[in-house]
Amino acid sequence: MYADSTDLLFYRIRLDSDIDNAASRLVRLGLEKAGESGADYIILDLNTYGGAVDAADSIRSAILNCPVPVVAFINLQAASAGALISIACDSIYMKTGSSIGAATVVNQTGAVMPDKYQSFMRGMMRSTAQANGRDPEIAESMVDTAHVLSMTPSEAVDAGYCEGICGSVQEVAERIADGREFRIADLDSEMSWFDKLIQFLLNPILQSIFLMMIIGGIYIEFRTPGIGLPLAIAIAGAFLYFSPLLMENLAEYWEVLLFFIGLILIALELFVIPGFGIAGISGIACVVISLIFAMVDNDLLFNGNGGFDYRMLAVPAGIVIISAAAALTGSILLVRSLYRTRTFDRIALRQSLAAEEGFTGVTTSMEVEPDEKVRAFTDLHPSGKIITSKGKIYEAVMESGYASRNDELTVLRTGQGRVYCEKSTSL
């Protein structure tokens, strides 16, 4: 859109948040739009304390491969992942009072991660510095866990890590233009409503909420009879979780397919195969793996040599586990608090096990005696239900082994509201 102009065009991308998938998508979108507009320079207006290593690596790779010169303007902080991104830029300008460095890898609580993670970060910092002709030892020292390096603007200038100290993006553009006329375009004003919607949905807090919708909805649906609102919430959560990730090529279709395969396996385990065994465990594993892998850029996860960098999965795995724990805890409390109210009938089907239908609750006395012959009303693996000759249905447990529906069983004893059985033997 600026092809006919003879002025220098600077394209500004403002990055003033934690480094995550949303930030990665924002920078990559800005680099793409800057190239389409014919920009002469891209100014990355940076203020961040860092974030996810995989998202930072994605931004770093995009900047290193960008044909348009990228200028970092550190207007306050470029810490941790922000330092890596700054070093990837062709030139760096800093504002008075700003700093760059402190790139030690830490976990969600701020604790320093083991040395294998630090080694990975040191390697990225060193190679990024070398790519732009900067001293790799200084970049590597920013990850040093013993004496981590963080530089002020004047220190960065002396070390060759800063081209100048400027007070604003306008001043950076004036310094680079060196007397030539220029204009500054801004990504914020050129993003479409759809771009802003995708950016909004990629917010890590929202992604965690979508995860809780998926896991909590599935749990409540399986804990209540019939099909109700919880299933609709789980489906909506899955749609909102996977859609922006698929659109931004973060998630692959095999990850979505793996998610639904996991749901099918869990459903088979709960409704077809009694007990909880291989199908259920495999289903849970498929769901968890799909949710974790969907958060990670596969181009970064699988390196060019066919290797697999499991370190990229650390943060996504933590998010999924924490979200799952919160969803399950919240769902259990919700079901317990709502079950006795009329509100529950509006979100899920309620089923009563009426005595006239043959069901009995936990009682101190049962109309069944030791050595009595009964039949398995359901499969017992090892627990389930049995039915007596009088049509009474009781909770039952196999003393040993398993039983299939309609197998003849012998009552051994009763206790705690259950009937303990074994398979009948024939002479």
Side-chain angles (χ1 to χ4, degrees), residues 197-257:
L197 175 62
I198 298 298
Q199 194 70 27
F200 175 73
L201 293 177
L202 283 173
N203 185 287
I205 296 177
L206 284 179
Q207 288 280 292
S208 297
I209 292 174
F210 300 151
L211 284 172
M212 289 189 282
M213 290 171 62
I214 296 169
I215 297 169
I218 292 171
Y219 174 80
I220 295 176
E221 192 63 49
F222 284 153
R223 294 290 294 174
T224 56
I227 304 297
L229 181 60
L231 180 61
I233 292 175
I235 293 174
F239 176 79
L240 293 171
Y241 179 79
F242 282 108
S243 293
L245 296 176
L246 282 171
M247 290 179 184
E248 294 306 311
N249 296 319
L250 290 171
E252 302 287 343
Y253 286 104
W254 70 264
E255 293 162 349
V256 180
L257 178 62

Side-chain angles (χ1 to χ4, degrees), residues 123-144:
M124 279 204 299
M125 294 287 285
R126 188 170 56 249
S127 64
T128 305
Q130 289 174 336
N132 285 324
R134 298 188 175 98
D135 188 343
E137 292 185 2
I138 292 178
E140 186 174 352
S141 64
M142 293 181 182
V143 193
D144 190 341

